[in-house]
Amino acid sequence: MCCRIEFALSTGKLPIPKLEDTIRRYLSAQKPLLDDSQFRKTEQLCKSFETGIGKELHEQLVAQDKQNKHTSYISGPWFDMYLTARDPVVLNFNPFMSFDPDPKSEYNDQLIRATNMTVSALRFLKTLRADLLEPEVFHLNPAKSDTDTFKRFIRFVPSFLSWYGAYLVNAYPLDMSQYYRLFNSTRLPRPHRDELFTDDKARHLLVLRKGHFYIFDVLDQDGNIVSASEIQAHLKYILSDNSPAPEFPLSYLTSENRDIWAELRQKLVSGGNKETLRKVDSAVFCLCLDDFPIKDFVHLSHSMLHGDGTNRWFDKSFNLIIAKDGTAAIHFEHAWGDGVAVLRFLNEVFKDSTQAPAITPQSQPASTDSSVAIQKLNFKLSDALKTGISIAKEKFDATVKTLTIDYIQFQRGGREFLKKQKLSPDSMAQLAFQMAFLRQYGQTVATYESCSTAAFKHGRTEAIRPASIFTKRCSEAFVREPSKHSSGELQQMMAKCSTYHNQLTREAAMGQGFDRHLFALRYLAAAKGISMPELFLDPAYRQINHNILSTSTLNSPAVSIGCFAPVVSDGLGIAYAVQDGWIGCNVSTYQGRDAREFLQCVEKALEDMFDALEGKPIKS
């Protein structure tokens, strides 16, 4: 982990797409969702927007972007979008990713894994702060750019030109500005708009167990990592604490509506808890030690996505959660950053803790007085705060009861097989979701796939819109009339879906989608007090932004599963991975949608697609 940067690459600026390109892409995405008369109306509104108020707003946005050379046009509005949202962060925003087990089973003991992962996380922190963390590079054409020759070449290019050198071979260094908020950071509830707080001078770890809060220093006064045997001793001490769970677990407040939580936090501060809260907020990160083993993937997903509300601090930049059997995950708050930064951290922690573990099963904890080194935090709670906690618990319990999560692993094949067919694995997973929803509900709906724009300075994300005229035609052929088409015809339709999805993915990664551009124009209109342009009042605009299918994929040898809740009440949250020999899919729904039935439809879709690719008839 601690290797010096071999080549310095400076990221380029996130481009603002041409307005005509954005409108064209927007209409293409609307085509499969609207009937002819709805589409004509939307088309007319787009033309008026493009030549009228939209043109003015676009010119203002471009002028503003030229003045703000230090950041991207989406960064400010995107932070605002997250921080002004008043919905609870849990389920509405925070996702999780879980680690694979340690390959050496004896290292999956809770105390050993917690110690090793804590030390590896601190090694990452030290590497990051010493500017020794090698930049990640996004390779659009890895055969040309992910090579020693390219690395040697780019090392001799001046840093201000290096981005262009990388650009020539379709390699883009990822923006690393988000990493600053990874440690010592918390989202603080404030009335109307929350605040991101970071105190990188703090040296202590926050540990939660059974709803109790403990802190102890993990860095010494010189910023060096405290010995692993001391960390092990302190965690062992915490695991041996037999105190009953608190009657009023404070953590529930972080699951509340943000304005209610802001008001209750003010009561906490004025009630003599200011310094104690400061210790929670400034901690390097939050380690959550759970007192039960994980039964299966569904139990894992519920535990890591929300748990029982007592043993998480949902506002912390991330919670590192370790169950009784050593199952581990990262649950993270989303305002400060996106999955790319968290995934990099997760990969490094997994690699370091498994390949260079700080302690072994034979290691003995240090002979140290943990009762002196550890401070157990106590909060003074008034009757109003106790009532607030009780109400938050009731709301939390009622909400999580409505959430269903289910998981499948399709074992017939995956990435390798699809690549041999010259098909994009991601596009085929997305096609399966379109086919499944059509089979289950008889329609094509707004679909969102997250795509990072970290190849650009302060880029965040762009949306890929997987529902297209190609996926609609292909889905209808498979679901409604498979007997009318030969396997060759079905293969051709799948190939068109793949080609178009690849195009959408490239455009989104290069900042050439339409969602963020339209979002920024709408944000600008609201900020300037201009009456909302008709395009944004169109029911079709509302509909395409009501993402019934919200999807996200993360491929990593260190990740076993991820999950997030649906983004709308009648939606599905689909976390998926296409691996070499299998396709995994983790689906969350609220009451009103059936996750199990949807996954059965996904399995049927994948079976049909694989049959068609192998020239077999489609089974009805």
Side-chain angles (χ1 to χ4, degrees):
M1 195 186 286
C2 291
C3 55
R4 185 162 290 280
I5 296 174
E6 289 187 344
F7 50 93
L9 297 169
S10 52
T11 43
K13 205 153 190 272
L14 181 69
I16 299 176
K18 292 177 182 173
L19 185 58
E20 58 266 33
D21 289 344
T22 287
I23 296 298
R24 173 177 52 77
R25 290 173 182 135
Y26 173 68
L27 286 170
S28 294
Q30 286 284 18
K31 192 83 174 163
L33 308 178
L34 304 175
D35 64 29
D36 288 346
S37 65
Q38 290 169 327
F39 186 77
R40 279 196 299 274
K41 185 193 168 192
T42 295
E43 201 173 28
Q44 197 53 53
L45 288 171
C46 281
K47 280 178 187 166
S48 302
F49 182 78
E50 190 181 338
T51 55
I53 185 65
K55 187 181 178 188
E56 291 172 37
L57 287 168
H58 176 75
E59 285 167 359
Q60 287 175 35
L61 184 67
V62 169
Q64 203 176 73
D65 186 53
K66 279 180 181 163
Q67 288 178 329
N68 296 331
K69 290 185 166 50
H70 62 286
T71 190
S72 70
Y73 78 92
I74 200 62
S75 184
W78 210 241
F79 274 116
D80 247 18
M81 183 268 295
Y82 275 119
L83 295 173
T84 58
R86 300 293 84 193
D87 292 327
V89 293
V90 63
L91 296 191
N92 290 298
F93 298 104
N94 293 17
F96 85 83
M97 301 176 213
S98 70
F99 293 87
D100 272 339
D102 193 302
K104 302 180 289 296
S105 59
E106 66 274 21
Y107 281 78
N108 289 308
D109 170 86
Q110 186 180 28
L111 175 59
I112 292 168
R113 200 160 202 212
T115 305
N116 282 330
M117 286 193 152
T118 297
V119 173
S120 291
L122 294 168
R123 287 173 183 167
F124 183 93
L125 177 152
K126 292 274 293 168
T127 309
L128 176 67
R129 288 188 178 162
D131 286 330
L132 297 173
L133 191 67
E134 192 168 311
E136 252 188 305
V137 179
F138 171 58
H139 299 275
L140 266 177
N141 186 355
K144 276 190 181 178
S145 58
D146 197 7
T147 64
D148 290 336
T149 309
F150 167 71
K151 290 174 186 177
R152 277 196 301 273
F153 155 72
I154 210 72
R155 198 179 305 154
F156 299 106
V157 177
S159 61
F160 70 95
L161 289 174
S162 59
W163 190 85
Y164 299 98
Y167 175 83
L168 292 174
V169 288
N170 273 339
Y172 300 85
L174 299 189
D175 174 62
M176 295 175 78
S177 59
Q178 292 179 10
Y179 289 58
Y180 165 69
R181 296 275 188 199
L182 192 55
F183 298 103
N184 301 93
S185 296
T186 301
R187 173 176 174 159
L188 303 182
R190 299 283 188 245
H192 314 304
R193 186 185 192 277
D194 289 355
E195 173 192 336
L196 293 175
F197 166 84
T198 302
D199 176 6
D200 58 11
K201 299 289 183 287
R203 298 183 281 116
H204 61 278
L205 178 72
L206 170 67
V207 183
L208 294 190
R209 179 169 172 262
K210 288 186 179 175
H212 294 288
F213 293 67
Y214 309 82
I215 61 167
F216 62 86
D217 283 354
V218 286
L219 299 169
D220 66 20
Q221 287 184 322
D222 298 321
N224 298 313
I225 301 169
V226 168
S227 77
S229 60
E230 269 186 69
I231 291 171
Q232 183 185 10
H234 298 335
L235 293 178
K236 186 178 181 183
Y237 178 86
I238 290 167
L239 285 167
S240 69
D241 185 348
N242 293 318
S243 308
E247 189 182 354
F248 297 97
L250 196 72
S251 297
Y252 280 117
L253 295 182
T254 63
S255 73
E256 253 293 9
N257 166 282
R258 302 306 292 179
D259 281 337
I260 294 172
W261 173 205
E263 194 179 321
L264 290 167
R265 184 185 163 98
Q266 197 46 54
K267 285 187 168 72
L268 269 169
V269 169
S270 55
N273 298 292
K274 185 177 180 180
E275 283 311 308
T276 316
L277 276 172
R278 173 93 188 189
K279 286 168 182 169
V280 171
D281 298 333
S282 63
V284 175
F285 62 89
C286 180
L287 173 67
C288 308
L289 300 173
D290 284 351
D291 269 18
F292 52 85
I294 296 299
K295 297 172 198 163
D296 53 36
F297 275 149
V298 173
H299 180 226
L300 184 152
S301 295
H302 280 293
S303 299
M304 304 309 184
L305 188 61
H306 55 76
D308 66 1
T310 63
N311 212 45
R312 312 279 183 266
W313 196 254
F314 293 116
D315 287 357
K316 206 76 184 128
S317 57
F318 73 90
N319 291 251
L320 173 59
I321 306 164
I322 302 183
K324 188 78 175 168
D325 61 352
T327 302
I330 290 177
H331 171 113
F332 66 99
E333 195 280 313
H334 223 324
W336 67 270
D338 304 306
V340 171
V342 179
L343 183 63
R344 171 75 186 276
F345 171 63
L346 184 149
N347 285 337
E348 297 279 6
V349 167
F350 181 79
K351 183 180 175 184
D352 190 70
S353 64
T354 55
Q355 294 181 10
I359 64 164
T360 70
Q362 290 73 44
S363 300
Q364 291 301 308
S367 301
T368 183
D369 190 350
S370 292
S371 65
V372 174
I374 296 170
Q375 182 186 356
K376 192 170 182 180
L377 302 182
N378 292 304
F379 296 90
K380 298 165 191 162
L381 301 179
S382 63
D383 288 344
L385 283 164
K386 288 176 182 177
T387 302
I389 291 168
S390 299
I391 292 169
K393 180 188 186 315
E394 281 174 30
K395 286 188 201 170
F396 177 87
D397 290 346
T399 303
V400 298
K401 264 186 200 163
T402 68
L403 185 78
T404 303
I405 299 174
D406 219 327
Y407 177 82
I408 59 158
Q409 200 173 91
F410 178 77
Q411 296 279 6
R412 192 167 149 189
R415 186 169 50 208
E416 274 188 357
F417 173 77
L418 293 168
K419 282 190 167 180
K420 279 178 188 166
Q421 308 293 320
K422 296 189 167 53
L423 294 170
S424 147
D426 187 58
S427 73
M428 292 301 100
Q430 289 289 345
L431 177 59
F433 306 148
Q434 294 299 314
M435 286 165 62
F437 199 87
L438 184 69
R439 185 177 295 279
Q440 191 179 11
Y441 297 106
Q443 62 182 136
T444 296
V445 291
T447 308
Y448 180 106
E449 179 182 357
S450 181
C451 179
S452 173
T453 50
F456 300 95
K457 186 174 186 178
H458 295 185
R460 293 288 309 238
T461 59
E462 181 54 90
I464 300 166
R465 293 295 184 165
S468 68
I469 53 169
F470 301 104
T471 59
K472 190 173 187 177
R473 279 181 206 141
C474 191
S475 298
E476 286 174 347
F478 269 99
V479 173
R480 293 188 172 147
E481 45 187 26
S483 59
K484 287 187 184 173
H485 300 279
S486 68
S487 55
E489 287 169 337
L490 293 172
Q491 287 170 17
Q492 283 182 341
M493 288 187 206
M494 291 163 74
K496 282 181 182 172
C497 292
S498 176
T499 302
Y500 188 64
H501 190 81
N502 279 345
Q503 178 192 325
L504 292 180
T505 304
R506 276 195 305 273
E507 287 174 353
M510 291 295 99
Q512 293 295 321
F514 67 83
D515 277 83
R516 299 301 177 261
H517 188 192
L518 289 180
F519 176 86
L521 295 174
R522 185 167 174 245
Y523 179 91
L524 187 60
K528 291 195 172 286
I530 298 167
S531 61
M532 195 50 66
E534 275 190 89
L535 173 66
F536 301 125
L537 302 174
D538 181 12
Y541 181 78
R542 281 200 300 278
Q543 180 182 294
I544 202 170
N545 286 292
H546 185 84
N547 292 300
I548 288 173
L549 295 181
S550 181
T551 74
S552 183
T553 183
L554 288 169
N555 284 315
S556 160
V559 176
S560 70
I561 196 173
C563 188
F564 54 92
V567 297
V568 292
S569 59
D570 59 342
L572 297 99
I574 305 172
Y576 65 102
V578 186
Q579 300 292 0
D580 282 345
W582 54 270
I583 298 168
C585 191
N586 204 21
V587 171
S588 63
T589 56
Y590 291 116
Q591 287 167 348
R593 298 276 185 205
D594 189 326
R596 173 93 311 248
E597 188 186 326
F598 177 75
L599 283 170
Q600 286 166 350
C601 292
V602 170
E603 277 194 294
K604 166 68 174 153
L606 290 168
E607 289 287 356
D608 288 352
M609 288 158 64
F610 275 62
D611 281 346
L613 290 169
E614 290 172 358
K616 297 175 185 171
I618 308 302
K619 302 179 192 80
S620 57

